[in-house]
Amino acid sequence: MSRRWTNDLTASDVTPEALFLNRRQVMAGAGALGIAGGLAGAANAETLEPNAFEDITNYCNYYEFGTGKEDPAKYAGALTTDPWTVQIDGMVDKPGDYSFDDIMSQMDIEERIYRFRCVEAWSMVVPWNGFELADLLDMVGVKPEAKYVAFETALRPEEMPGVRYPVLDWPYVEGLRLDEARHPLTLMATGLYGKPLPNQNGAPLRLVVPWKYGFKSIKSVVRITLTDTQPATAWNKANAGEYGFYSNVNPEVDHPRWSQASERPLGGGLFARRKPTLMFNGYDEVAGLYEGMDLVKNF
Ligand SMILES: Nc1nc2c(c(=O)[nH]1)N[C@H]1C(S)=C(S)[C@@H](COP(=O)(O)O)O[C@H]1N2
Ligand SMILES: [Mo]
């Protein structure tokens, strides 16, 4: 069977040239950085150089398969991703069980090269393939009273060795305010480097919110619920003092146990030079979403 997970023109068709251009633009960008003092987000997206596929797929957090960084690559192969159904319910016009193939046939798949910053202070650059969450929300029709979007990961004890341990209150759940969910940067990723998303990275589809800490980017989504109340989130339930609902990348708000001022880029080894963490992970265009909010209180 053919599964349509990307457009006919795949990222791998264009990557070699794109990478070549990127290297030159990184140098131009480095010069501009000295003057401007900061990286703009989307405007700079094409200046990013992605991490290697091997790094992105072998250093993962997917606790359903174990808490070690290499556990997901070892064990997530057991996850059955075809067929896959996403239940979309709550305050929507067309609630229902949507097959992954049905969703894919209706979405435009693009490549998005995004910075990704884990709350543990490592970071990487990922060439995702996917579609805007806003397009999926439009497909099902969001009712005017909806204010938040809740997400849920599959829970399959027979396929997920990690859920035997009560590390988190399974299933993994996450949430966004509706305006965050509708922001054009918010992606449902279905691929990586022009290939279908590897299981360890959250196949067949996972959320990517590049201005928030990585744990907001929930994997292997089976349910999306539109609601008028702020959804519970897995890490907030586990430790509310350390993980807030918003979890925007913010170098000025430290984790209670470590600094968030800088980060270790993946791929350079454990002693790679750290680089400064940017507000909203560099995606300044989202600042308007939080106007008038105290981002220290709403961490
Ligand atoms: N269901 C689920 N989603 C998850 C996680 C998880 O353990 N389970 N880990 C989160 C964390 S902490 C991070 S940093 C990212 C890691 O994504 P990656 O492994 O694809 O880099 O996934 C997030 N999504
Ligand atoms: Mo993370």
Short mmCIF file of all heavy atoms in Angstrom, two decimals, residues 56 59-64 116 118-119 122 124 128 153 168 170 172 200-202 206 214-219 235, ligand 1:
data_model
loop_
_atom_site.label_atom_id
_atom_site.label_comp_id
_atom_site.label_asym_id
_atom_site.label_seq_id
_atom_site.Cartn_x
_atom_site.Cartn_y
_atom_site.Cartn_z
N ILE A 56 19.38 12.85 15.71
CA ILE A 56 17.98 13.16 16.03
C ILE A 56 17.21 11.88 16.39
O ILE A 56 16.29 11.91 17.20
CB ILE A 56 17.30 13.87 14.83
CG1 ILE A 56 18.00 15.21 14.54
CG2 ILE A 56 15.82 14.07 15.06
CD1 ILE A 56 17.59 15.85 13.22
N TYR A 59 18.98 9.88 20.09
CA TYR A 59 19.05 10.57 21.38
C TYR A 59 17.66 11.16 21.60
O TYR A 59 17.37 12.26 21.14
CB TYR A 59 20.12 11.65 21.32
CG TYR A 59 20.42 12.32 22.65
CD1 TYR A 59 21.41 11.82 23.50
CD2 TYR A 59 19.72 13.46 23.04
CE1 TYR A 59 21.70 12.45 24.70
CE2 TYR A 59 20.01 14.10 24.25
CZ TYR A 59 20.99 13.59 25.07
OH TYR A 59 21.28 14.20 26.27
N CYS A 60 16.79 10.39 22.24
CA CYS A 60 15.37 10.75 22.27
C CYS A 60 14.81 10.71 23.69
O CYS A 60 15.35 10.02 24.56
CB CYS A 60 14.55 9.78 21.42
SG CYS A 60 14.93 9.83 19.66
N ASN A 61 13.74 11.43 23.88
CA ASN A 61 12.92 11.28 25.08
C ASN A 61 11.56 10.76 24.66
O ASN A 61 10.81 11.44 23.93
CB ASN A 61 12.73 12.64 25.80
CG ASN A 61 13.89 12.98 26.71
OD1 ASN A 61 14.58 12.09 27.21
ND2 ASN A 61 14.10 14.27 26.93
N TYR A 62 11.26 9.55 25.08
CA TYR A 62 9.94 8.95 24.82
C TYR A 62 9.79 7.91 25.92
O TYR A 62 10.11 6.74 25.76
CB TYR A 62 9.90 8.33 23.42
CG TYR A 62 8.53 8.03 22.86
CD1 TYR A 62 8.35 7.77 21.50
CD2 TYR A 62 7.39 7.99 23.67
CE1 TYR A 62 7.10 7.50 20.96
CE2 TYR A 62 6.14 7.71 23.14
CZ TYR A 62 6.01 7.46 21.79
OH TYR A 62 4.77 7.18 21.25
N TYR A 63 9.35 8.42 27.11
CA TYR A 63 9.40 7.62 28.33
C TYR A 63 8.53 6.37 28.28
O TYR A 63 8.76 5.44 29.06
CB TYR A 63 9.02 8.50 29.53
CG TYR A 63 10.16 9.35 30.05
CD1 TYR A 63 11.29 9.61 29.28
CD2 TYR A 63 10.11 9.90 31.34
CE1 TYR A 63 12.33 10.39 29.78
CE2 TYR A 63 11.14 10.68 31.84
CZ TYR A 63 12.25 10.92 31.06
OH TYR A 63 13.27 11.68 31.56
N GLU A 64 7.56 6.32 27.37
CA GLU A 64 6.77 5.10 27.23
C GLU A 64 7.66 3.92 26.84
O GLU A 64 7.29 2.76 27.00
CB GLU A 64 5.69 5.29 26.16
CG GLU A 64 4.52 6.19 26.59
CD GLU A 64 4.77 7.67 26.35
OE1 GLU A 64 5.97 8.09 26.28
OE2 GLU A 64 3.78 8.42 26.23
N PHE A 116 14.97 23.09 18.28
CA PHE A 116 14.24 22.30 19.27
C PHE A 116 15.04 22.34 20.57
O PHE A 116 16.21 22.00 20.59
CB PHE A 116 14.11 20.86 18.75
CG PHE A 116 13.24 19.97 19.59
CD1 PHE A 116 11.90 19.79 19.26
CD2 PHE A 116 13.76 19.32 20.69
CE1 PHE A 116 11.10 18.96 20.04
CE2 PHE A 116 12.95 18.50 21.47
CZ PHE A 116 11.62 18.31 21.14
N CYS A 118 15.11 21.18 24.52
CA CYS A 118 14.58 20.38 25.63
C CYS A 118 14.76 21.14 26.94
O CYS A 118 15.75 21.86 27.12
CB CYS A 118 15.29 19.03 25.71
SG CYS A 118 14.81 18.02 27.13
N VAL A 119 13.84 20.93 27.86
CA VAL A 119 13.91 21.57 29.18
C VAL A 119 15.17 21.14 29.93
O VAL A 119 15.63 21.82 30.84
CB VAL A 119 12.61 21.27 29.98
CG1 VAL A 119 12.61 19.83 30.51
CG2 VAL A 119 12.41 22.26 31.13
N TRP A 122 19.49 20.64 26.44
CA TRP A 122 20.17 20.29 25.19
C TRP A 122 19.28 20.76 24.05
O TRP A 122 18.07 21.00 24.24
CB TRP A 122 20.48 18.78 25.09
CG TRP A 122 19.33 17.86 25.29
CD1 TRP A 122 18.95 17.27 26.47
CD2 TRP A 122 18.38 17.41 24.30
NE1 TRP A 122 17.83 16.49 26.27
CE2 TRP A 122 17.45 16.55 24.96
CE3 TRP A 122 18.21 17.64 22.94
CZ2 TRP A 122 16.39 15.93 24.30
CZ3 TRP A 122 17.14 17.03 22.28
CH2 TRP A 122 16.25 16.18 22.95
N MET A 124 18.70 20.96 19.45
CA MET A 124 19.06 20.46 18.12
C MET A 124 18.28 21.24 17.09
O MET A 124 17.41 22.05 17.43
CB MET A 124 18.79 18.96 18.02
CG MET A 124 17.35 18.57 18.26
SD MET A 124 17.14 16.77 18.22
CE MET A 124 15.43 16.62 18.72
N TRP A 128 11.80 18.96 9.99
CA TRP A 128 10.54 18.22 10.09
C TRP A 128 9.81 18.26 8.75
O TRP A 128 9.96 19.22 7.98
CB TRP A 128 9.61 18.85 11.13
CG TRP A 128 10.14 18.96 12.52
CD1 TRP A 128 10.52 20.11 13.15
CD2 TRP A 128 10.29 17.91 13.48
NE1 TRP A 128 10.91 19.83 14.44
CE2 TRP A 128 10.78 18.49 14.67
CE3 TRP A 128 10.06 16.53 13.45
CZ2 TRP A 128 11.04 17.75 15.82
CZ3 TRP A 128 10.31 15.79 14.60
CH2 TRP A 128 10.81 16.40 15.77
N THR A 153 -1.29 10.86 23.98
CA THR A 153 -0.46 9.85 23.31
C THR A 153 -1.10 8.47 23.48
O THR A 153 -1.80 8.21 24.46
CB THR A 153 0.95 9.84 23.94
OG1 THR A 153 1.58 11.09 23.67
CG2 THR A 153 1.82 8.72 23.39
N LEU A 168 5.37 8.65 34.92
CA LEU A 168 4.37 9.67 34.63
C LEU A 168 3.00 9.00 34.78
O LEU A 168 2.90 7.78 34.82
CB LEU A 168 4.53 10.21 33.19
CG LEU A 168 5.78 11.05 32.90
CD1 LEU A 168 5.94 11.28 31.41
CD2 LEU A 168 5.74 12.38 33.65
N TRP A 170 0.31 7.84 33.04
CA TRP A 170 -0.02 7.53 31.63
C TRP A 170 -1.52 7.59 31.37
O TRP A 170 -2.27 7.27 32.26
CB TRP A 170 0.52 6.13 31.27
CG TRP A 170 1.92 5.88 31.72
CD1 TRP A 170 2.31 5.04 32.72
CD2 TRP A 170 3.12 6.46 31.20
NE1 TRP A 170 3.69 5.08 32.85
CE2 TRP A 170 4.20 5.94 31.94
CE3 TRP A 170 3.39 7.40 30.17
CZ2 TRP A 170 5.52 6.31 31.69
CZ3 TRP A 170 4.69 7.76 29.93
CH2 TRP A 170 5.73 7.22 30.68
N TYR A 172 0.49 9.90 28.39
CA TYR A 172 1.11 11.22 28.29
C TYR A 172 0.08 12.18 27.70
O TYR A 172 -0.55 11.87 26.68
CB TYR A 172 2.31 11.11 27.36
CG TYR A 172 3.32 12.25 27.42
CD1 TYR A 172 4.51 12.09 28.12
CD2 TYR A 172 3.11 13.44 26.74
CE1 TYR A 172 5.47 13.09 28.15
CE2 TYR A 172 4.07 14.47 26.77
CZ TYR A 172 5.24 14.27 27.47
OH TYR A 172 6.19 15.27 27.49
N GLN A 200 10.60 6.26 17.23
CA GLN A 200 11.17 6.86 18.45
C GLN A 200 10.96 8.37 18.50
O GLN A 200 11.02 8.97 19.56
CB GLN A 200 12.67 6.53 18.59
CG GLN A 200 13.55 7.01 17.46
CD GLN A 200 13.78 5.95 16.40
OE1 GLN A 200 12.87 5.21 16.04
NE2 GLN A 200 15.01 5.87 15.89
N ASN A 201 10.69 8.99 17.36
CA ASN A 201 10.43 10.43 17.33
C ASN A 201 8.93 10.75 17.36
O ASN A 201 8.54 11.92 17.23
CB ASN A 201 11.10 11.09 16.14
CG ASN A 201 12.61 11.00 16.21
OD1 ASN A 201 13.21 10.11 15.60
ND2 ASN A 201 13.25 11.87 16.98
N GLY A 202 8.09 9.72 17.50
CA GLY A 202 6.67 9.98 17.72
C GLY A 202 5.74 9.64 16.58
O GLY A 202 4.71 10.27 16.40
N ARG A 206 3.18 13.69 15.52
CA ARG A 206 3.44 14.30 16.82
C ARG A 206 3.40 15.82 16.67
O ARG A 206 3.63 16.37 15.59
CB ARG A 206 4.78 13.82 17.38
CG ARG A 206 6.03 14.11 16.56
CD ARG A 206 6.74 15.40 16.89
NE ARG A 206 7.27 15.57 18.21
CZ ARG A 206 8.46 15.14 18.62
NH1 ARG A 206 9.24 14.50 17.79
NH2 ARG A 206 8.88 15.39 19.84
N GLY A 214 10.73 21.09 24.84
CA GLY A 214 10.43 19.90 24.05
C GLY A 214 9.30 19.04 24.58
O GLY A 214 8.60 18.38 23.80
N PHE A 215 9.09 19.03 25.91
CA PHE A 215 8.07 18.11 26.43
C PHE A 215 6.66 18.50 26.02
O PHE A 215 5.74 17.69 26.12
CB PHE A 215 8.20 17.92 27.95
CG PHE A 215 7.94 19.16 28.78
CD1 PHE A 215 6.65 19.50 29.13
CD2 PHE A 215 8.99 19.95 29.22
CE1 PHE A 215 6.39 20.62 29.92
CE2 PHE A 215 8.76 21.07 30.01
CZ PHE A 215 7.45 21.41 30.35
N LYS A 216 6.46 19.76 25.53
CA LYS A 216 5.14 20.14 25.02
C LYS A 216 4.86 19.41 23.70
O LYS A 216 3.71 19.29 23.29
CB LYS A 216 5.06 21.66 24.79
CG LYS A 216 5.20 22.52 26.01
CD LYS A 216 4.08 22.37 27.01
CE LYS A 216 2.76 22.97 26.58
NZ LYS A 216 1.74 22.85 27.67
N SER A 217 5.92 19.00 23.01
CA SER A 217 5.77 18.40 21.67
C SER A 217 5.44 16.92 21.79
O SER A 217 6.27 16.04 21.56
CB SER A 217 7.06 18.64 20.86
OG SER A 217 7.21 20.03 20.58
N ILE A 218 4.21 16.65 22.13
CA ILE A 218 3.72 15.30 22.46
C ILE A 218 3.74 14.38 21.24
O ILE A 218 3.38 14.79 20.14
CB ILE A 218 2.31 15.41 23.10
CG1 ILE A 218 1.76 14.04 23.50
CG2 ILE A 218 1.33 16.14 22.17
CD1 ILE A 218 0.44 14.12 24.29
N LYS A 219 4.15 13.14 21.50
CA LYS A 219 4.36 12.17 20.42
C LYS A 219 3.16 11.25 20.19
O LYS A 219 2.30 11.10 21.07
CB LYS A 219 5.59 11.30 20.76
CG LYS A 219 6.88 12.12 20.81
CD LYS A 219 8.07 11.27 21.19
CE LYS A 219 9.36 12.04 20.91
NZ LYS A 219 10.53 11.24 21.25
N TRP A 235 3.72 16.46 32.54
CA TRP A 235 4.83 16.88 33.40
C TRP A 235 4.37 17.80 34.51
O TRP A 235 4.94 17.81 35.60
CB TRP A 235 5.95 17.49 32.56
CG TRP A 235 6.78 16.40 31.97
CD1 TRP A 235 6.74 15.91 30.70
CD2 TRP A 235 7.73 15.60 32.68
NE1 TRP A 235 7.60 14.85 30.57
CE2 TRP A 235 8.22 14.65 31.75
CE3 TRP A 235 8.22 15.58 34.00
CZ2 TRP A 235 9.19 13.69 32.12
CZ3 TRP A 235 9.17 14.64 34.35
CH2 TRP A 235 9.64 13.72 33.42
N1 LIG B 1 4.34 10.75 24.53
C1 LIG B 1 5.49 11.38 24.81
N2 LIG B 1 5.79 12.52 24.16
C2 LIG B 1 6.96 13.17 24.43
C3 LIG B 1 7.85 12.67 25.42
C4 LIG B 1 7.51 11.45 26.08
O1 LIG B 1 8.23 10.94 26.96
N3 LIG B 1 6.33 10.83 25.74
N4 LIG B 1 9.01 13.36 25.71
C5 LIG B 1 9.00 14.80 25.41
C6 LIG B 1 10.31 15.43 25.58
S1 LIG B 1 10.84 15.71 27.16
C7 LIG B 1 11.06 15.85 24.51
S2 LIG B 1 12.50 16.70 24.72
C8 LIG B 1 10.65 15.51 23.14
C9 LIG B 1 11.77 14.75 22.48
O2 LIG B 1 11.50 14.55 21.13
P1 LIG B 1 12.56 13.72 20.27
O3 LIG B 1 12.88 12.48 21.05
O4 LIG B 1 11.87 13.42 18.97
O5 LIG B 1 13.74 14.59 20.11
O6 LIG B 1 9.47 14.71 23.07
C10 LIG B 1 8.47 15.07 24.01
N5 LIG B 1 7.26 14.31 23.75
#
